[in-house]
Amino acid sequence: MSSTDKTLKTTVSVGGMSCAACVRRVERALAEVAGVTGVAVNLATARATVDHAPQWAGVEALRRVIVEAGYDFLGVPDEEREDPITAAREKELRDLTRRFVVGICLSVVIFLGSMQHWFPFLMGIPRQPLQIVLFFLTAPVVFWVGNRFFSGALKAARQKTTDMNTLVAVGAFSAYLYSALATFFPRLFAGAGVMPHVYYDGAAFIVTLIILGRLLEARAKGRTSQAIQRLLGLKPKTARVLRDGVETDIAIEGVLIGDLILVRPGEKIPTDGTVETGSSTVDEAMLTGESLPVVKEPGAEVFAATLNRTGSFTFRATRVGSETALARIIHLVEEAQGSKAPIQRLADRVASVFVPVVFAIGLVTFVIWNWFVPDPSFSRALLNFVSVLVIACPCALGLATPTAVMVGTGLGAEKGILIKGGESLENAYRLTTVVFDKTGTLTRGEPETTELLSVAGVSDQEVLRIALSLEAVSEHPLARAVLAKGAQEGLKAEPVEGFVAHSGLGAKALWNGKPCLLGNRRFMEREGIAPVGFDKEAERLAGEGKTVVFVAEGGQVVGLMAFSDLPKPSAREAIASLQALGLKVAMISGDNGATARAMGKTLGIDRVLAEVLPGDKAAEIRRLREGGEVVAMVGDGINDAPALAAADIGIAIGAGSDVAIEASDITLMKDDLRAVPQAIRLSFATMRTIRQNLFWAFIYNVIGIPIAAGVLYPLWGIFLNPEFAAAAMALSSVSVVTNSLRLRRRWRKVLAG
């Protein structure tokens, strides 16, 4: 891809959005900016992510169209500064609290006055003067407490559209205007034979209860972003740097790559680096979810914001600022929480036509109740019209998906599972098959000595001593396993003479004056040595997928060693968990068929794709998808990146390469395969929550709007007063956000399966 074809992303914070219709309006406005190729606006995070070409109109153009659309441009999020959305949300919470307190106090007084006949102590007050008092008490509730609804409706009107603010503003103003006319011009209604009832309490409670809903919703939305807040709170503020032998505490922003940094027990590690001197144990739970501290010695990697437990050490800074593992995690989680799941498109399409449809239903309701029912009543027609407008709630539709995605991705981040966004969650929900790379993913990635056999009269230690002495000067991949076995047995390599390595076969040398060989069966046969006495054992071990090496001394085979790349401790449990979820599990490997099938049998995997070259793994994944499977690929190496990208879901082990992590949809920050079923369970639970949210958001309106229109009156004489409609409307948004937050409380159950 050339630089001119490359798509870039820019994220900006947007204030003033209140419902799904606002989201649609901002998306349409941003899509008109020159060079923009895609837009995703998230109501829960109040952020807009714009895909654009390298040559485009720029951030200033985004600011202009956002402001012209009637919303607030809050800038580009910067990890070095306080998040403007956090500050705006705190300001909004204070403002909503103040307005609600004023609104509820006045609304209670207005209710008492409106229901004068219920309270004996008010019976002596003349009705007309009391209604005038109610008129003045209601005005600040409608026009100050509810100011945001009127200003929002005006913004929408300027754009020749409507939104949730329009519904509330028209509903509350209609009730207030009707009550004002009934107060000051009662003869207008008396002349029509209608008693001049007033509904100041309805107008006041509509505004107050919806403000309460906004207040509860804002608090709940704040809790959905707790994961990001906790991650940001982990960032160290200072570092103790050693420069020219002098210890200096400096701001973290002043740390440079290559600086030598001292960390004492109980302190946070300020940035990423490599240990130079000293040793310690480090708590990396915030990064990987692993509860046990990790031993750090010279050469080991350390990461920003992890906690040093026991010893002091110095390390050399290798990544600073936005390049640290913590900063990358924060960036990934922010991108995920600002993304849209494809299922949200349904809600977006509904929201685009929702408000006009509600207005049409409200007007039809008014006409029917004012002219086409027995004993028509303007008062009843108006109340039903207001109830229809007020009970309709596009807020719930706008919040159904993003709040669940925020909670789900945040919970994953806390456990070292980084999910790139809503689309990844939805694809994981549809999985049918999980394919694991073998070497380095299911296995440790390094062979280990599993068997050591010797002929009668020769000790196991002598066989190991011969192998150890030859492999000490070898570069063969098995040499490390032999050296590790020797160190475990307390043996040391002895000098050899005339060492010669034979590629693909083995090696030979003089050891203690005797010719010794180490290699496979072909090497022994080529050298004229028959592996007498080991045929059955060698066949058995090869059938188990192990690599068999013979050890010969003085022209006779004296022993046999078997090597295997052992499965990771978590592999079998992870595979069993996936199968319990109803998923098919397969393994892909470049090993020969016997070795790969033996490993598959050990782990409980029936489907084994063997002898697949690294470049062909992606083709195998595509073949599975063409067969109707929805495929997840789990890998860790650079050669896994094409297969990760080719799968419906790529799952990268965090201990692997940056290339694999970049190509994946889900990254596991710890090398524990049990996190794979955990990530899929979390996806299942998050998508289940999204579907519940959308169901309740839709069903609420399907049931609520007809009741508000009065369909139950002919059967049971039931009407829905506007204040009850307002309460129901406010609670619908709160219920959607609260249902998303339930995912947090069920997290342990999700992990347990």
Side-chain angles (χ1 to χ4, degrees), residues 375-513:
D375 302 321
S377 165
F378 178 84
S379 176
R380 174 49 57 191
L382 179 66
L383 286 182
N384 286 353
F385 169 73
V386 171
S387 293
V388 168
L389 297 191
V390 170
I391 201 168
C393 183
C395 287
L397 289 175
L399 292 168
T401 298
T403 52
V405 169
M406 286 179 71
V407 173
T409 54
L411 286 172
E414 291 174 11
K415 288 295 180 181
I417 301 169
L418 302 184
I419 302 170
K420 284 194 175 177
E423 188 168 357
S424 301
L425 281 168
E426 189 163 338
N427 286 338
Y429 181 76
R430 299 185 296 108
L431 285 177
T432 60
T433 301
V434 180
V435 179
F436 285 89
D437 175 56
K438 172 182 169 285
T439 304
T441 301
L442 285 173
T443 66
R444 300 176 190 271
E446 293 185 358
E448 296 182 20
T449 306
T450 57
E451 275 86 14
L452 175 59
L453 306 176
S454 57
V455 297
V458 179
S459 68
D460 289 352
Q461 283 208 335
E462 184 172 347
V463 172
L464 180 57
R465 193 177 291 112
I466 296 170
L468 179 62
S469 299
L470 267 66
E471 291 288 30
V473 291
S474 171
E475 296 180 357
H476 193 274
L478 296 179
R480 187 179 298 177
V482 175
L483 295 174
K485 183 67 174 176
Q488 183 182 333
E489 297 292 332
L491 301 178
K492 292 185 178 180
E494 298 174 12
V496 296
E497 298 176 6
F499 176 85
V500 179
H502 296 266
S503 179
L505 297 171
K508 62 181 180 179
L510 290 176
W511 175 77
N512 285 343

Side-chain angles (χ1 to χ4, degrees), residues 188-203:
L188 289 174
F189 302 96
V194 179
M195 292 296 293
H197 298 294
V198 295
Y199 297 99
Y200 291 117
D201 57 329

Side-chain angles (χ1 to χ4, degrees), residues 33 92-93 120 195 216 267-268 342 376 396 410 415 449 540 545 590 592 594 600 665 701 733 736:
V33 173
E92 182 186 30
L93 278 171
M195 292 296 293
L216 296 174
E267 294 180 343
K268 282 184 180 179
K415 288 295 180 181
T449 306
R540 176 183 67 81
N592 65 67
D665 301 288
N701 285 297
S733 295
V736 163

Side-chain angles (χ1 to χ4, degrees), residues 72-83:
D72 302 322
F73 177 78
L74 300 178
V76 178
D78 184 344
E79 66 175 32
E80 302 301 331
R81 303 195 313 263
E82 183 184 9
D83 184 1

Side-chain angles (χ1 to χ4, degrees), residues 614-619 621-622 633 637-647 650 659-660 663:
D616 296 333
K617 289 181 181 179
I621 296 298
R622 282 192 287 269
M633 170 70 191
I638 290 176
N639 59 11
D640 294 329
L644 291 170
V659 176

Side-chain angles (χ1 to χ4, degrees), residues 212-251:
L212 173 61
R214 289 282 181 91
L215 175 60
L216 296 174
E217 180 187 308
R219 286 180 176 170
K221 281 197 293 186
R223 290 198 295 274
T224 63
S225 60
Q226 282 178 351
I228 284 289
Q229 298 306 317
R230 277 196 286 267
L231 288 171
L232 289 169
L234 291 171
K235 294 171 66 173
K237 302 295 188 292
T238 61
R240 186 174 294 108
V241 178
L242 299 173
R243 290 176 179 168
D244 300 324
V246 179
E247 273 186 36
T248 309
D249 285 344
I250 65 172

